[in-house]
Amino acid sequence: MWNTRGNPSSHPLTLSRSLLTDFSVSTTVAGLVAVLVGFTSSIALIFAATQALGATPSQTASWIWALGLGTGLTSLGLSLWYRKPVLTAWSTPGAALIAATQGVPMVEAVGAFIVCAVLIAAVGYSGLFERAMDHIPVAIASALLAGVLARFALEAVVASRTQPLIVLGMTAAFLAGRRWWPRYAVPVVLLAGIAIAAVSGQLRPGPVAWGWVHPEWTTPEFSVRALVGLALPLFLVTMASQNLPGVAAQRTAGFDIPVSSTVGATGVASLLLAPFGGYALNLAAITAAICLGREAHEDPARRYTASVAAGVFYIAVGLAGGAVAGLLAALPRELVIAVAGLALLSTIGTGLASALRDEHHRDAALLTFLVTLSGVSFLGIGSAFWGVVAGAVASLATARRRHG
């Protein structure tokens, strides 16, 4: 596994010097791209979720504060503590679930968020989730990750239909970067995309609400309706659709993070921030892959600074949510999708190579990849979970055939 520096130095001066030395332009940009992708790809769902619960504008701003701060502090703290790229996120399918909720007032929803957070912390710290992950073959975990990321990369290809100049120009910049400046390929892509968008008049600067966001406390109420209709489904989709591929991303990249303590930490952070709108935090997968790959840094031992940078940027999103949202909204959607898809190419390739390497698990891995890539949802649970289920069934069936 990568990065033997699992324990932080006990001397603060040594720690700060090492951190400054390990930072680079490529890791900083990787962290920025991860936040750019994470924020812009889910902010509309966050707004929809708050509206479904009847939130006031100040409560909506508080949600951005809680989610940005929670994601930033957990990413920053866990990455520095373990000296490995541990990136967290808020539950995007969880936001979609909340947005589809009807008849649950904000106070009961916050009560459901607290119950969900307690369940995540309990499953994490008890080791139940880690033991479950240990039973998933590497080939299936790698195929799961490749399927999750490939769906995002396919969106970049489709985006070329609406913004061919931006997407094709960024692709050319990516290929040039991989040829002459491999460490800075992603920064080159981002700068090229912004330059092309600016020249072609595709940047959409709007009013920016400068100022700090003020958190707003909501006193929770607990009800059976919210427990059954929101807390349990939120817990299930967060674990199955977010934490499962999040751990797969880490393991496929070669980083052996302590699963139990990191998942448990996201549960505790969610518990503390739930009254302010931090409905569910979890390990990241798509955005984490941006910080885990070679594009972040050639040296795996220095890639943790990419998630440290992402943590700092997420904190900025939380503290100045209105201003950051206004600045990011100026970028074309296709630009964000293209930079993410190109940044994830090598990770997708690594995942597929690992998934298909062992011929005994090849059929199961392919089935996992295709089901995950399909985006199919059943019982409110996304394709990542069903991809693992399909792969596990296929793996058991082929194992019996081999030994039969």
Side-chain angles (χ1 to χ4, degrees), residues 49-147:
T50 58
Q51 290 172 1
L53 299 177
T56 64
S58 60
Q59 286 176 323
T60 300
S62 182
W63 277 48
I64 302 299
W65 177 90
L67 294 172
L69 206 65
T71 302
L73 290 176
T74 50
S75 298
L76 182 65
L78 291 171
S79 298
L80 287 176
W81 182 256
Y82 294 116
R83 287 303 176 104
K84 296 177 182 180
V86 183
L87 191 63
T88 62
W90 50 78
S91 177
T92 300
L97 175 70
I98 298 168
T101 300
Q102 296 181 349
V104 178
M106 177 67 76
V107 290
E108 291 184 14
V110 170
F113 300 161
I114 290 175
V115 173
C116 175
V118 171
L119 290 174
I120 292 173
V123 170
Y125 284 125
S126 67
L128 289 174
F129 182 67
E130 184 168 9
R131 286 195 290 273
M133 287 296 303
D134 289 340
H135 285 85
I136 299 176
V138 173
I140 291 180
S142 300
L144 165 68
L145 175 65

Side-chain angles (χ1 to χ4, degrees), residues 29-344:
V29 172
L32 175 61
V33 170
V35 174
L36 180 69
V37 172
F39 187 82
T40 56
S41 63
S42 62
I43 188 61
L45 279 176
I46 301 299
F47 288 143
T50 58
Q51 290 172 1
L53 299 177
T56 64
S58 60
Q59 286 176 323
T60 300
S62 182
W63 277 48
I64 302 299
W65 177 90
L67 294 172
L69 206 65
T71 302
L73 290 176
T74 50
S75 298
L76 182 65
L78 291 171
S79 298
L80 287 176
W81 182 256
Y82 294 116
R83 287 303 176 104
K84 296 177 182 180
V86 183
L87 191 63
T88 62
W90 50 78
S91 177
T92 300
L97 175 70
I98 298 168
T101 300
Q102 296 181 349
V104 178
M106 177 67 76
V107 290
E108 291 184 14
V110 170
F113 300 161
I114 290 175
V115 173
C116 175
V118 171
L119 290 174
I120 292 173
V123 170
Y125 284 125
S126 67
L128 289 174
F129 182 67
E130 184 168 9
R131 286 195 290 273
M133 287 296 303
D134 289 340
H135 285 85
I136 299 176
V138 173
I140 291 180
S142 300
L144 165 68
L145 175 65
V148 170
L149 301 184
R151 198 166 66 232
F152 211 93
L154 282 175
E155 290 187 20
V157 177
V158 175
S160 63
R161 294 190 302 184
T162 54
Q163 289 289 353
L165 180 63
I166 292 178
V167 176
L168 294 178
M170 293 173 70
T171 303
F174 174 77
L175 295 175
R178 293 288 289 175
R179 172 65 176 84
W180 288 292
W181 320 284
R183 181 183 295 184
Y184 303 105
V186 174
V188 167
V189 168
L190 180 60
L191 292 175
I194 293 174
I196 295 171
V199 172
S200 61
Q202 297 298 314
L203 292 182
R204 302 180 299 271
V208 177
W210 300 106
W212 303 115
V213 174
H214 299 287
E216 183 171 317
W217 170 277
T218 299
T219 301
E221 293 182 7
F222 299 91
S223 69
V224 175
R225 172 182 60 176
L227 172 65
V228 175
L230 185 55
L232 294 180
L234 181 60
F235 165 70
L236 290 174
V237 300
T238 300
M239 297 303 296
S241 301
Q242 296 287 119
N243 282 323
L244 185 63
V247 174
Q250 293 282 346
R251 292 184 172 180
T252 301
F255 292 96
D256 188 16
I257 65 167
V259 175
S260 297
S261 57
T262 50
V263 171
T266 63
V268 171
S270 301
L271 178 63
L272 295 175
L273 292 167
F276 301 100
Y279 62 91
L281 301 177
N282 49 254
L283 294 177
I286 294 175
T287 52
I290 296 172
C291 299
L292 292 167
R294 293 179 59 186
E295 283 75 14
H297 203 283
E298 287 292 332
D299 183 359
R302 296 177 63 178
R303 292 176 195 165
Y304 77 96
T305 56
S307 52
V308 169
V312 174
F313 290 128
Y314 268 125
I315 292 172
V317 168
L319 295 178
V324 174
L327 292 173
L328 295 182
L331 300 177
R333 177 178 177 273
E334 291 83 358
L335 187 155
V336 176
I337 292 174
V339 73
L342 292 168
L344 294 170

Side-chain angles (χ1 to χ4, degrees), residues 382-403:
S383 62
F385 175 77
W386 299 116
V388 172
V389 170
V393 171
S395 182
L396 289 172
T398 53
R400 288 181 178 179
R401 185 183 64 196
R402 290 197 304 270
H403 295 94

